[in-house]
Amino acid sequence: MQKSTPKYTPKEYRVYLMNSSKKHILVEGKNDKYFLERMLSYLANEIDKPELTEQVFVDSAESLIKSESGKGSNKEKVEEIANNIADKSYSQRFIAFIDRELYLFDWDYEKTQILQDNFPGHNIEKRIIRTRGHSLENYLFELDIVSNFFNINTTIPNPQTATNLFKQIFKSVIYSACTIGLAATKSKLLQKIESGVSWRDFIELTSGEINFLLEDWLDFLTDKRSVSDSKISEIKQNYKIYIQLINQTSFEIVRWLSHGHIGYDFLKEAYIKCFMEVIKEDISNIEWIAKDKRVHLLINYWIEEILSNDRMYFQKIFDMLDLSLN
């Protein structure tokens, strides 16, 4: 299906905001939009205020905002709009919600010998609020939520043995994903590995953790992603440095520091690897729904599990828009 053309330039979107009587949250992409819309719907039902979903529009830069220069990421579009209206009166009806990525983390080993989170929360600057961790997916890195979700969304009969194995290696998976993400970022190779990698091919299950098959992965980068020999040497060195640093870092920091997309894909592939270990047969008959839909279902599950216990998890969003949850 052909994508629709975004309808507003940043300037036109600012005019639209100025003339709108609604409150708006501008996000980068479709999964962020789905996440916040689902959260608002859930809370509106919980507090019996259906009007909440009518008061707030969640807009996606991916589908709404054109770049005036023809370039620029969705995140850059959101930041440009937020910064240009920060001093306008109508900005009180608007917030931007963007990926934190590595902002306010000490992560570059040439500048620090300790990986640290210098703002363990939702950072706010003017009308911009950043995700708690690297990106949206990091919210989902909860052991019970991920393992239970995968357990009920597979076609394999009696998956509990594989699920129990997955629970044992969960933290190790996040540690490995974080190591890979930082090494690739430092080597400027993220675009080569952000999607389409069968991570299970590089996972070896050991007692209660995983062993990442570094040399096999480097061969994959050479053969399948056309990474040069010099870059292979660089990322190998970076990986070896980061794995030492990360093994000295608390899980609470690592789960938020990990590259969100890589971490989510790595978890799903590790779960499949656990099946392979348990059933000892061809896994081609394991059926999975499409990735985007699977992420949306996991978001639904996460929201119900988290917000049923902590309605104030995203309190800053509601405070900035002057919305009451009472």
Side-chain angles (χ1 to χ4, degrees):
M1 187 169 71
Q2 189 175 12
K3 286 186 177 181
S4 59
T5 303
K7 59 192 297 187
Y8 299 114
T9 65
K11 181 178 180 180
E12 291 167 343
Y13 181 75
R14 294 196 297 272
V15 173
Y16 162 68
L17 289 176
M18 182 175 63
N19 294 327
S20 174
S21 62
K22 305 293 184 180
K23 300 181 180 186
H24 292 259
I25 305 174
L26 181 62
V27 299
E28 296 179 45
K30 57 187 177 183
N31 284 339
D32 309 286
K33 175 178 168 67
Y34 183 86
F35 180 82
L36 288 179
E37 286 181 335
R38 188 74 185 195
M39 180 185 71
L40 288 167
S41 176
Y42 178 87
L43 289 173
N45 181 68
E46 285 291 293
I47 63 178
D48 196 25
K49 282 189 174 182
E51 67 273 13
L52 183 64
T53 57
E54 299 171 1
Q55 294 172 346
V56 184
F57 285 174
V58 183
D59 299 329
S60 164
E62 180 181 15
S63 59
L64 275 184
I65 313 300
K66 294 182 286 189
S67 176
E68 290 174 313
S69 65
K71 300 180 180 178
S73 67
N74 291 322
K75 183 176 184 178
E76 289 169 334
K77 296 176 195 174
V78 175
E79 290 178 308
E80 176 190 348
I81 290 167
N83 290 329
N84 281 331
I85 70 169
D87 59 347
K88 304 293 192 295
S89 60
Y90 62 88
S91 69
Q92 299 306 305
R93 302 193 304 273
F94 167 88
I95 60 172
F97 187 68
I98 62 174
D99 287 347
R100 174 183 178 179
E101 296 181 345
L102 296 174
Y103 184 69
L104 293 180
F105 282 108
D106 287 340
W107 69 275
D108 187 339
Y109 68 76
E110 292 184 315
K111 299 176 182 178
T112 182
Q113 291 302 303
I114 302 174
L115 303 178
Q116 296 188 86
D117 184 350
N118 295 309
F119 199 98
H122 287 104
N123 173 261
I124 297 174
E125 293 180 4
K126 296 182 179 178
R127 304 308 295 175
I128 295 176
I129 180 169
R130 291 177 172 85
T131 53
R132 168 65 183 85
H134 182 279
S135 49
L136 169 69
E137 286 81 1
N138 295 67
Y139 291 114
L140 310 176
F141 296 168
E142 299 274 354
L143 170 60
D144 289 340
I145 289 175
V146 173
S147 57
N148 290 340
F149 174 78
F150 284 159
N151 186 68
I152 62 179
N153 281 279
T154 174
T155 59
I156 295 297
N158 190 24
Q160 196 59 53
T161 302
T163 300
N164 290 339
L165 180 57
F166 176 77
K167 287 182 177 181
Q168 294 174 30
I169 66 170
F170 177 82
K171 286 188 177 181
S172 178
V173 170
I174 298 297
Y175 272 69
S176 289
C178 189
T179 304
I180 292 161
L182 291 180
T185 300
K186 183 68 175 171
S187 303
K188 297 182 171 58
L189 285 172
L190 262 181
Q191 288 186 332
K192 297 284 188 179
I193 67 165
E194 278 189 296
S195 62
V197 179
S198 181
W199 294 109
R200 77 191 81 155
D201 295 339
F202 314 117
I203 294 174
E204 182 179 73
L205 299 180
T206 60
S207 179
E209 59 183 14
I210 67 169
N211 176 37
F212 183 68
L213 304 177
L214 176 61
E215 295 298 333
D216 290 355
W217 180 55
L218 296 176
D219 288 343
F220 164 82
L221 293 179
T222 300
D223 298 338
K224 303 297 184 183
R225 297 294 162 94
S226 302
V227 176
S228 67
D229 290 343
S230 61
K231 275 294 183 182
I232 290 295
S233 296
E234 180 182 334
I235 197 170
K236 181 176 183 178
Q237 178 65 17
N238 288 336
Y239 179 92
K240 290 183 174 180
I241 292 172
Y242 275 118
I243 197 169
Q244 293 181 14
L245 291 175
I246 285 172
N247 285 337
Q248 300 168 16
T249 305
S250 72
F251 179 74
E252 184 59 22
I253 292 175
V254 172
R255 70 163 288 195
W256 297 116
L257 176 61
S258 174
H259 189 284
H261 300 170
I262 293 172
Y264 172 78
D265 287 343
F266 211 105
L267 284 170
K268 189 253 184 178
E269 291 286 306
Y271 192 71
I272 293 177
K273 188 72 174 185
C274 290
F275 272 121
M276 295 170 65
E277 181 73 11
V278 170
I279 65 178
K280 306 292 185 184
E281 61 184 52
D282 180 25
I283 62 163
S284 60
N285 61 335
I286 297 179
E287 296 178 8
W288 295 89
I289 56 177
K291 180 178 178 179
D292 284 349
K293 189 173 182 180
R294 186 172 65 247
V295 172
H296 289 178
L297 289 174
L298 180 53
I299 286 170
N300 298 349
Y301 189 62
W302 183 93
I303 285 173
E304 292 197 14
E305 292 293 317
I306 294 294
L307 297 189
S308 62
N309 296 316
D310 184 5
R311 190 182 295 169
M312 300 296 104
Y313 200 95
F314 290 94
Q315 182 64 46
K316 289 188 177 181
I317 288 179
F318 301 101
D319 290 344
M320 290 177 72
L321 290 176
D322 194 26
L323 293 169
S324 173
L325 297 183
N326 298 320

